[in-house]
Amino acid sequence: MLMNPADLRNAPHTLLDLLDATAARVFRTDLSQPGFAIADLGADLTPIQFRSMHIGFAAALDHAYDRRFSRRLLLRSMGRFDQKVSAEAHLDGAPDESILMLGYEPSEITSRLFLIDYTRCAFDRGLQPREFLDRFNPTFGEGRSLLDAYATELTPFDRRHYRIVMINNSCTPVDRAERGMLGVLHKSIVVDPKSTQTRFVNTMMLSPADVAADDVVGTEDVRAYLNAGAFKAA
Ligand SMILES: [Fe+2]
């Protein structure tokens, strides 16, 4: 979905609709939903404004997860990195139930992002997601070719825009689908990287906790991330 930050300022209630649609797609309780969503915020932001929205999205997803599942979604880590290498299909290192929020800044470097529904691929073969990953390597051979049919390229993915991609990064059995944590793999191809150019990706990882749980990342750490993209893992 394409969002104009100025429109959001003028009509903030539209953010709730956006988050509801995002929550249904990302916190999926069945395999008819994709397990990911993108918010394209256009080009008219600064990196600090963008990180402010990134933090706001994390707080809003926490709220949306609580409303739907009566559990919190806690921010566990965040940071900003200049990433210029491709990555084969993978889950980011995190608890078995986790949501990854990737915040892409505008870049001269073209890249492509693929989301791969390995949970569905496993289900179609009578396997749990963890069993599938234990049995097949997603990055080559049979595992890779099995997953080809379950890959979706995220388009449009405009390198000139600020974009937030929310990915269900979980590895949860399908019979626990009521927790909304059925995951997908992600894979990125960085096309023609040039060492003189930057490609900044802001990364946040969230994972569920009891509804009464306190934040695990402190205010000072969130401020350091906001101001300078500082890395912190709790
Ligand atoms: Fe990753």
Side-chain angles (χ1 to χ4, degrees):
M1 47 205 111
L2 191 61
M3 297 162 61
N4 181 341
D7 289 348
L8 276 182
R9 277 195 291 278
N10 297 331
H13 59 279
T14 58
L15 185 58
L16 291 178
D17 295 339
L18 173 87
L19 284 163
D20 244 12
T22 297
R25 288 174 62 95
V26 177
F27 307 145
R28 59 182 185 160
T29 53
D30 65 68
L31 297 173
S32 68
Q33 293 292 335
F36 61 88
I38 180 171
D40 185 322
L41 304 174
D44 187 21
L45 287 171
T46 65
I48 287 186
Q49 286 172 333
F50 180 54
R51 282 197 294 280
S52 164
M53 294 187 78
H54 203 202
I55 293 164
F57 268 59
L61 287 186
D62 177 16
H63 183 64
Y65 191 67
D66 183 355
R67 264 208 330 265
R68 283 172 179 249
F69 300 97
S70 300
R71 297 167 81 202
R72 288 201 60 191
L73 197 56
L74 295 184
L75 179 58
R76 305 279 181 179
S77 67
M78 65 243 175
R80 178 180 189 247
F81 307 95
D82 188 8
Q83 287 184 355
K84 285 185 287 221
V85 289
S86 298
E88 288 289 350
H90 66 283
L91 295 173
D92 272 16
D96 279 353
E97 296 181 317
S98 53
I99 301 295
L100 174 63
M101 293 179 65
L102 297 173
Y104 293 85
E105 295 180 24
S107 171
E108 292 297 317
I109 299 170
T110 299
S111 63
R112 302 167 68 190
L113 182 64
F114 297 82
L115 290 313
I116 301 152
D117 195 347
Y118 83 111
T119 300
R120 178 187 278 268
C121 182
F123 179 78
D124 287 350
R125 282 153 188 85
L127 299 172
Q128 295 294 356
R130 175 62 63 198
E131 281 181 290
F132 182 87
L133 293 182
D134 287 345
R135 199 173 297 185
F136 299 102
N137 186 326
T139 66
F140 68 86
E142 191 182 2
R144 184 180 178 137
S145 54
L146 285 175
L147 287 167
D148 272 352
Y150 297 84
T152 304
E153 180 168 8
L154 201 53
T155 57
F157 192 57
D158 192 329
R159 65 173 178 75
R160 297 162 300 183
H161 288 184
Y162 286 92
R163 294 144 283 160
I164 295 178
V165 182
M166 290 148 280
I167 301 171
N168 196 318
N169 185 64
S170 302
C171 188
T172 303
V174 177
D175 54 15
R176 295 177 75 188
E178 77 283 355
R179 298 160 82 92
M181 286 288 151
L182 300 178
V184 295
L185 307 177
H186 60 285
K187 163 181 163 174
S188 75
I189 298 176
V190 178
V191 182
D192 193 21
K194 296 176 184 66
S195 58
T196 54
Q197 294 168 342
T198 57
R199 177 179 175 272
F200 281 110
V201 183
N202 299 265
T203 298
M204 278 188 173
M205 188 64 79
L206 303 98
S207 72
D210 185 81
V211 71
D214 290 326
D215 289 337
V216 292
V217 173
T219 309
E220 283 307 313
D221 296 321
V222 173
R223 190 170 293 130
Y225 169 70
L226 172 67
N227 290 330
F231 172 74
K232 176 71 186 180

